[in-house]
């Protein structure tokens, strides 16, 4: 699904590199969590996968154009008084993607928010807003779902609900998931593999390996 | 008063502007670009003065100059990514510089002051046809681009991922803003164009509705303010632009106070239960 080879990236097209000599291979149906310290290049890698940035050197291949994207809640306009209802935000998006009207009701059922469709996005709780962003990304049943810190700023109960939803999508529908994670516990529990970014380079490991190498050693 | 041809022209033009301006204004306000209306209204004055200088229709020349300025704003956005307020200073300098140079050259045979403050008397039948034509094209563009504009404004990354050509739509939007600004210059004048693009939207946003309802309420406020402003300006013998701006501020204050009173009443009711 994703094949990244010898990727170098810098915002100035010259060293120092944000990402250097990076390789990443993601198979269809995998659930990958991308972890690393602040400034390790997680969000940059995500934007390269989404096609918002171009590699300075190397090769990024994503095997589908049907990609769902869940931005960080603070990057979306939700909390800035934007006057838009839950249903409006989904309906306008499904029109952009030329999808049927039923796709919106399907997604509302999936995220269990069909009774709240006329609520303003800004009046929803953090967890509810995040579920709507996931629901929007799922419109058109994407082959690949990319998430940027899906649990940041969200209460524990909503986090559980969100990760249960992601696992459900991954296992039942077989959607490939790449999630930039700050929540290491969730990364270890939910992912099939973990991609650890450090100093602009990365390596793939199993959740068990990651827990043993990085979490238990503190 | 509507037996006069000039008042009929002014009324039709005001109605068109009142409906169109919030349709553009809502995107400007939500993109935090309310001041672009101000920069482009000054650019439209430059277009007017150039039109008058070369004996062309001022609404058309205002549209052309404003459209080029709008496109320039989009072009400069990539260059001044981190200092976007500089873009407005550049466009403002271009517009005001051109207008002042032309006006002060003494080569204009028509008084350009009427475009600064707006005037009921100046909407000719040819202007009206021009406004109707531009409005028709603007409505078609708005209808076609509605979802794209909404999503670029709401979440530009998501729009891009859905296949929207963000840069191209932003250029089209700049032309739309230019079109509406050049229509407004006759009636309301340069000085208050941005006020009327944004204040009805700001008022409607206080009602806490979704996007479509906020847009509809913006149009309602805009129509009430512009038509009341036009009629009262006729009887008070003042420029309609300035008076309409005052009305817009007044309506916003009434809605803000009403909202506060309602919230207090609800709070007291909840406390008593």
């Amino acid at each position: 699904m994703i094949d990244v080879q010898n990727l170098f990236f810098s915002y100035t097209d010259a060293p120092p590199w944000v990402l250097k000599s990076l390789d990443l291979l993601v198979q269809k149906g995998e659930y990958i969590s991308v972890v690393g310290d602040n400034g390790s290049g997680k969000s940059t890698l995500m934007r390269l996968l989404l096609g918002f940035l171009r590699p300075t050197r190397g090769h990024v291949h994503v095997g589908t154009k049907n990609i769902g994207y869940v931005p960080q809640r603070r990057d979306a306009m939700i909390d800035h008084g934007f006057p838009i209802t839950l249903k409006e935000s989904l309906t306008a998006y499904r029109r952009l993607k030329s999808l049927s009207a039923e796709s919106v009701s399907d997604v509302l059922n999936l995220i269990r928010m069909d009774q709240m469709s006329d609520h303003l996005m800004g009046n929803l709780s953090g967890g509810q807003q995040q579920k709507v962003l996931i629901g929007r990304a799922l419109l058109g049943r994407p082959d690949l779902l990319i998430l940027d810190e899906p649990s940041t700023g969200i209460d524990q109960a909503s986090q559980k609900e969100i990760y249960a939803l992601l696992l459900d999508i991954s296992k039942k529908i077989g959607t490939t998931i790449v999630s930039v994670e700050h929540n290491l516990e969730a990364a270890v529990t939910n992912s099939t593999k973990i991609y650890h970014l450090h100093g602009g380079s990365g390596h793939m490991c199993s959740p068990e390996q990651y827990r043993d190498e990085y979490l238990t050693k503190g | 008063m509507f037996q006069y041809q000039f008042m009929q022209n002014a009324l039709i033009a005001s109605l068109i502007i009142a409906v169109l301006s919030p349709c553009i204004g809502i995107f400007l306000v939500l993109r935090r670009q309310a001041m672009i209306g101000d920069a482009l209204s000054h650019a439209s004055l430059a277009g007017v003065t150039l039109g008058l200088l070369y004996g062309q229709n001022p609404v058309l020349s205002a549209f052309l100059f404003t459209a080029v300025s709008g496109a320039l704003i989009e072009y400069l956005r990539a260059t001044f990514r981190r200092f976007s307020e500089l873009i407005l200073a550049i466009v403002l300098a271009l517009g005001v510089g051109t207008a002042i140079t032309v006006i002060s050259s003494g080569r204009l045979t028509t008084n350009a002051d009427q475009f600064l403050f707006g005037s009921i008397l100046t909407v000719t039948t040819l202007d009206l046809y021009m406004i109707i034509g531009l409005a028709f094209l603007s409505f078609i563009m708005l209808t076609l681009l509605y979802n794209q504009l909404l999503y670029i404004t709401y979440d530009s990354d998501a729009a891009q991922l859905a296949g929207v050509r963000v840069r191209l739509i932003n250029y089209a939007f700049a032309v739309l803003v230019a079109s509406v600004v050049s229509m407004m210059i006759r009636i309301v004048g340069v000085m208050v164009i941005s006020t009327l693009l944004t204040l009805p939207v700001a008022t409607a946003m206080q009602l806490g509705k979704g996007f479509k309802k906020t847009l509809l309420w913006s149009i309602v406020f805009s129509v009430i303010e512009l038509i009341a402003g036009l009629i009262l300006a006729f009887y008070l013998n003042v420029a309609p632009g300035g008076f309409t701006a005052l009305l817009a501020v007044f309506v916003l204050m009434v809605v803000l106070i009403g909202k506060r009173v309602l919230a207090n009443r609800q709070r007291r009711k909840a406390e008593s239960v």
Side-chain angles (χ1 to χ4, degrees), chain A residues 47 50-52 67-69 71 76-78 80-85 88-90 92-93 95-97 120-121 136, chain B residues 26 30-32 146-148 150-151 153-162 164 205 208-214:
Chain A
R47 295 187 77 76
L50 287 165
F52 295 158
I67 303 171
Y69 166 51
M77 290 290 281
I78 295 167
H80 303 273
F82 200 106
I84 192 165
T85 64
E88 281 176 328
S89 85
L90 295 178
Y93 202 64
R95 286 192 179 129
L96 288 186
K97 297 186 96 175
L120 281 178
M121 286 292 287
R136 183 185 72 185
Chain B
I26 195 165
L30 294 174
R31 288 168 172 219
R32 308 290 194 275
Y146 176 81
N147 286 307
Q148 284 95 323
L150 171 57
Y151 243 89
T153 308
Y154 180 51
D155 187 340
S156 165
D157 282 347
Q160 193 179 335
L161 205 62
V164 175
M205 281 173 71
K209 306 286 182 191
F211 189 83
K212 262 188 192 157
K213 284 185 183 166
T214 302

Side-chain angles (χ1 to χ4, degrees), chain B residues 21-43:
Chain B
S21 57
C23 296
I24 300 295
I26 195 165
F27 294 112
L28 287 175
V29 169
L30 294 174
R31 288 168 172 219
R32 308 290 194 275
Q33 293 177 343
M35 293 316 289
I36 280 185
D38 206 35
L40 288 183
S41 61
H42 285 81

Side-chain angles (χ1 to χ4, degrees), chain B residues 26 34 36 39 87 104 116 139 143 162 183 195 216 246 253 266:
Chain B
I26 195 165
I36 280 185
I87 302 169
S104 63
L116 281 176
F139 273 119
T143 310
M183 280 183 242
T195 310
L216 284 175
L246 286 179
M253 289 301 162
Q266 277 172 350

Side-chain angles (χ1 to χ4, degrees), chain B residues 105-220:
Chain B
S105 71
R107 290 171 62 193
L108 290 188
T109 51
T110 314
N111 189 353
D113 287 0
Q114 53 188 282
F115 295 98
L116 281 176
F117 306 117
S119 169
I120 301 169
L121 297 166
T122 53
V123 185
T124 64
T125 305
L126 179 63
D127 286 339
L128 190 62
Y129 287 143
M130 204 73 84
I131 288 172
I132 291 170
L134 281 175
F136 181 69
L137 291 174
S138 302
F139 273 119
I140 289 177
M141 259 176 99
L142 263 174
T143 310
L144 291 176
L145 300 180
Y146 176 81
N147 286 307
Q148 284 95 323
L149 281 172
L150 171 57
Y151 243 89
I152 290 172
T153 308
Y154 180 51
D155 187 340
S156 165
D157 282 347
Q160 193 179 335
L161 205 62
V164 175
R165 298 175 70 183
V166 175
R167 202 97 206 267
L168 186 70
I169 303 281
N170 279 342
Y171 274 108
F173 182 65
V175 175
L176 261 176
V177 179
S179 167
V180 174
V181 164
S182 55
M183 280 183 242
M184 293 173 85
I185 194 168
R186 274 290 199 203
I187 297 273
V188 300
V190 171
M191 308 299 277
V192 288
I193 283 178
S194 66
T195 310
L196 296 180
L197 278 171
T198 52
L199 274 195
V201 179
T203 309
M205 281 173 71
Q206 303 311 313
L207 304 179
K209 306 286 182 191
F211 189 83
K212 262 188 192 157
K213 284 185 183 166
T214 302
L215 178 57
L216 284 175
W217 275 107
S218 307
I219 293 171
V220 169

Side-chain angles (χ1 to χ4, degrees), chain A residues 66-87:
Chain A
N66 190 7
I67 303 171
Y69 166 51
V70 182
Q72 280 189 38
R73 242 172 8 95
R74 63 168 178 258
D75 289 343
M77 290 290 281
I78 295 167
D79 291 333
H80 303 273
F82 200 106
I84 192 165
T85 64
L86 193 168
K87 195 171 185 180

Side-chain angles (χ1 to χ4, degrees), chain A residues 86-87 89-90 104-117 121 124 127-138 161-162 165-166 168-169:
Chain A
L86 193 168
K87 195 171 185 180
S89 85
L90 295 178
V104 170
S105 39
D106 288 350
V107 156
L108 282 171
N109 281 330
L110 182 73
I111 60 174
R112 293 182 194 155
M113 291 181 75
D114 41 342
Q115 301 296 317
M116 306 180 81
S117 61
M121 286 292 287
L124 300 177
Q128 288 168 334
Q129 290 174 352
Q130 193 67 358
K131 283 206 293 182
V132 177
L133 291 178
I134 294 173
R136 183 185 72 185
L138 292 174
E161 222 179 320
I162 283 165
L165 177 64
L166 291 177
D168 217 32
I169 295 160

